[in-house]
């Protein structure tokens, strides 16, 4: 554990030769889910989305995401992928208020969004195995809204004492007020069957050997032998405006709920659609240096300017009597 803590601290204060860590501003917050509910307008619950402006309700897998997009909210300007999760709300006396997001450490004044990681092995080493980049048309999800326990070690929360806090992690929402907000962490599986770019549940083409906490993933099984990048998201939810315990439920329970009506946190989930331009991600995974092989970046200001017009027009930010889509079957 001590070694892991040191590695985490180094990851926040210095460039690494073993992984990509970058910020992506918010692209949109709306009820669209082109993986689980393709074509549905609106989808069952609200999502916060980052990445390329090619995002839409269908995301046709036969279309190159990188060719459809014209800008990205991500630091790496060749990354037109889309990444999304559910949205956090405060529940108070039958009303709901959306919790804002804020930038992670060392990412500048990026607008909301998330931190994205592509890791070869861990924060200290590239390892010695070939990392195969995701392919055009690839997509996957991690987690499920109906999960009844925290058995996946890659889906966790951290009660932030400050922006650099990384431990301890919990499988459910923190039960106490967090001085610097709540960080939601999503680690995706990194073992591919080598054949399918997707599967009916968006998960079976991948195999999860993740151990959590940015530890090196376990060996891939024969059924899914291809090692891919260890993809992870960190989302900084700014719960500080809601830390007055007098406003929390009288029974002392924590007041936050995901947009699919989950007040425990076990059902947290993330979605990914690959959209790096050309061989940019493969060059990054083959590299020993973070910014080598001509991988291009853009300024925070440029990332913040990329956006899309909402397809679903509804109030998501006022004090609401129900969350958008509340009462629908969770998806």
């Amino acid at each position: 554990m001590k070694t892991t803590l040191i590695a985490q601290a180094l990851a926040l204060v210095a460039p690494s030769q073993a992984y990509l860590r970058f910020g992506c501003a918010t692209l949109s917050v709306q009820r669209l889910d082109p993986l689980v509910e393709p074509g549905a307008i609106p989808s069952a619950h609200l999502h916060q989305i980052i990445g390329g402006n090619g995002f839409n309700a269908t995301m046709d897998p036969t279309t190159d995401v990188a060719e459809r997009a014209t800008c990205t909210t991500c630091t790496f300007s060749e990354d037109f992928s889309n990444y999304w999760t559910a949205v956090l709300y405060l529940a108070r006396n039958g009303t709901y208020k959306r919790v804002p997001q804020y930038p992670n450490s060392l990412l500048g004044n990026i607008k909301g969004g998330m931190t994205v990681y592509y890791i070869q092995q861990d924060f200290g080493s590239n390892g010695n195995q070939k990392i195969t980049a995701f392919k055009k048309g690839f997509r996957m999800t991690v987690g499920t809204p109906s999960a009844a326990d925290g058995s996946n070690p890659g889906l966790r929360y951290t009660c932030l004492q400050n922006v650099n806090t990384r431990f301890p992690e919990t499988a459910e929402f923190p039960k106490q007020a967090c001085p610097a907000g709540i960080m939601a962490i999503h680690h995706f599986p990194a073992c591919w069957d080598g054949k399918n770019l997707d599967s009916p549940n968006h998960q079976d083409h991948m195999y999860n050997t993740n151990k959590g906490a940015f530890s090196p993933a376990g060996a891939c099984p024969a059924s899914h032998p291809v090692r891919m990048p260890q993809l992870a998201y960190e989302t900084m939810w700014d719960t500080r405006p809601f830390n007055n315990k007098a406003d929390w439920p009288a029974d002392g329970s924590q007041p936050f709920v995901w947009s699919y009506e989950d007040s425990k946190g076990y059902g947290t989930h993330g979605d990914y659609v690959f959209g790096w331009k050309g061989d940019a991600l493969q060059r990054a995974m083959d590299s020993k240096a973070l910014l080598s092989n001509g991988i291009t970046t853009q300024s925070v200001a440029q990332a913040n300017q990329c956006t899309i017009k909402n397809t679903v027009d509804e109030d998501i930010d006022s004090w609401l009597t129900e969350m958008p889509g509340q009462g629908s079957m969770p998806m």
Side-chain angles (χ1 to χ4, degrees):
M1 178 61 74
K2 183 176 180 181
T3 301
T4 303
L5 288 169
I6 292 171
Q8 288 281 355
L10 289 173
L12 292 169
V13 299
S16 170
Q17 295 185 336
Y19 67 98
L20 299 180
R21 175 189 187 266
F22 57 97
C24 299
T26 299
L27 177 72
S28 180
V29 182
Q30 59 176 319
R31 279 201 289 153
L32 292 182
D33 191 346
L35 288 194
V36 177
E37 297 178 88
I41 303 174
S43 64
H45 64 261
L46 195 65
H47 297 99
Q48 55 96 12
I49 305 126
I50 62 172
N53 69 342
F55 183 85
N56 58 42
T58 57
M59 299 296 282
D60 181 355
T62 65
T63 302
D64 187 348
V65 173
E67 293 299 323
R68 183 170 60 238
T70 59
C71 70
T72 178
T73 70
C74 296
T75 301
F76 287 104
S77 54
E78 295 176 87
D79 182 14
F80 298 98
S81 306
N82 288 114
Y83 316 79
W84 65 97
T85 75
V87 173
L88 194 64
Y89 273 85
L90 170 83
R92 179 187 295 167
N93 298 326
T95 61
Y96 301 87
K97 181 68 174 176
R98 183 164 77 95
V99 177
Q101 294 149 254
Y102 76 97
N104 208 332
S105 178
L106 301 179
L107 297 183
N109 192 29
I110 204 158
K111 182 183 66 178
M114 295 191 285
T115 313
V116 177
Y117 294 80
Y118 289 82
I119 302 173
Q120 287 102 320
Q121 177 169 295
D122 58 27
F123 288 138
S125 172
N126 289 355
N128 57 9
Q129 58 184 324
K130 171 70 174 179
I131 305 299
T132 300
F134 306 112
K135 307 298 184 182
K136 184 191 306 183
F138 182 89
R139 61 264 321 271
M140 66 176 166
T141 66
V142 66
T144 176
S146 60
D149 59 43
S151 57
N152 185 336
L155 302 175
R156 291 292 183 260
Y157 304 91
T158 298
C159 183
L160 298 170
Q161 307 305 302
N162 57 63
V163 71
N164 291 328
T165 305
R166 289 301 179 271
F167 292 98
E169 294 182 346
T170 59
E172 57 186 25
F173 287 128
K175 294 180 170 59
Q176 69 275 26
C178 299
I182 297 172
M183 182 170 69
I185 307 123
H186 297 82
H187 291 271
F188 285 74
C191 295
W192 180 41
D193 66 12
K195 302 174 184 178
N196 299 294
L197 299 175
D198 196 6
S199 49
N201 65 358
H202 313 295
Q203 297 185 3
D204 286 348
H205 59 308
M206 299 296 288
Y207 190 89
N208 194 5
T209 61
N210 189 282
K211 300 176 183 178
F214 290 99
S215 301
C220 291
S223 62
H224 295 72
V226 181
R227 171 69 77 194
M228 304 190 95
Q230 296 175 64
L231 175 67
Y233 309 162
E234 290 178 341
T235 313
M236 314 291 278
W237 295 101
D238 191 1
T239 58
R240 292 173 295 184
F242 313 114
N243 276 353
N244 183 357
K245 294 298 287 286
D247 295 328
W248 285 30
D251 64 3
S253 60
Q254 69 84 31
F256 299 105
V257 57
W258 283 121
S259 52
Y260 54 93
E261 303 179 57
D262 173 10
S263 61
K264 295 291 187 183
Y266 296 139
T268 186
H269 54 284
D271 298 60
Y272 173 67
V273 171
F274 171 78
W276 283 76
K277 194 172 183 65
D279 66 346
L281 182 60
Q282 188 62 65
R283 284 187 282 116
M285 293 297 99
D286 290 342
S287 174
K288 293 186 181 301
L290 183 61
L291 298 178
S292 67
N293 289 343
I295 304 167
T296 58
T297 62
Q298 65 180 350
S299 68
V300 169
Q302 289 171 308
N304 284 341
Q305 289 172 359
C306 186
T307 188
I308 59 174
K309 183 178 180 180
N310 276 0
T311 304
V312 180
D313 185 16
E314 61 186 341
D315 187 3
I316 63 173
D317 286 319
S318 300
W319 280 98
L320 306 173
T321 55
E322 60 181 24
M323 293 182 291
Q326 190 168 3
S328 301
M329 288 294 291
M331 301 293 292

